[in-house]
Amino acid sequence: LRVDLESLTALPPIAIPASGSAVLEGLNGQAYVVGASEIDQFDATTGELQHAFAKKNTFVYGRIAMSTDRRTLYVARAGSDGALLSYDISGPVPVLLQQLTGSFPSVAPSRDGQFLYYGKTGTDGDTLFQARLPTFLPATSIASGPYLGPTTEAPSGAIFEGFSPLQNEVFGPSGSYAVYDPISLQKTAEIPLG
């Protein structure tokens, strides 16, 4: 389903090449969805598949996020063959810019384009990292909980990170959102989801 955000009216629906948890529209009428084993780029008007990239041997569990200028797509994949990737999506074909291996359950670029916030799973829980773009090298980090969920930046700049003590329960009765200062990554609040 599609909505015109200027008029808030429904547009004709289109069939897309894969089901997924997120669909993001980039430049030049291209859109992106997390498919079963890749990221699919498709025409946002017709639904026609243009490219499949960031392929993985197992189910793609993770998140996608886009820079505010819609020129870079970030892919966070968790699991044993997970990765953190960035792609230049300003042209007709996505071009890999960077890649880190590991299990990454979340990713979010800052609105000003200076930082990338991402979660990484380790042997003793998950950690939230802040990296200065364009690299993925962490500037600072905090241990945030056993299982991380979605990460996002509020218009105020505050960083919201979903987490839970139980796997796959970020939005369940034990899930919460932690709120962090975007500069120091100090926790300023916690919101239980209940």
Side-chain angles (χ1 to χ4, degrees), residues 104-191:
F104 298 92
S106 65
V107 64
S110 64
R111 293 177 191 275
D112 63 10
Q114 292 188 36
F115 296 102
L116 185 69
Y117 299 94
Y118 60 89
K120 185 174 184 186
T121 302
T123 56
D124 54 350
D126 289 358
T127 302
L128 177 64
F129 289 92
Q130 177 195 64
R132 185 169 292 280
L133 288 172
T135 73
F136 289 162
L137 300 175
T140 187
S141 66
I142 53 161
S144 59
Y147 299 104
L148 292 181
T151 305
T152 191
E153 181 187 25
S156 66
I159 305 304
F160 285 75
E161 177 68 56
F163 69 95
S164 172
L166 303 172
Q167 190 172 15
N168 299 323
E169 284 270 328
V170 171
F171 295 113
S174 59
S176 298
Y177 261 92
V179 183
Y180 298 99
D181 176 89
I183 305 302
S184 66
L185 281 192
Q186 295 297 311
K187 186 189 287 187
T188 59
E190 188 169 315
I191 304 166

Side-chain angles (χ1 to χ4, degrees), residues 87-100:
Y87 287 87
D88 179 342
I89 55 170
S90 61
V93 178
V95 176
L96 180 65
L97 298 172
Q98 293 186 75
Q99 178 175 349
L100 281 180

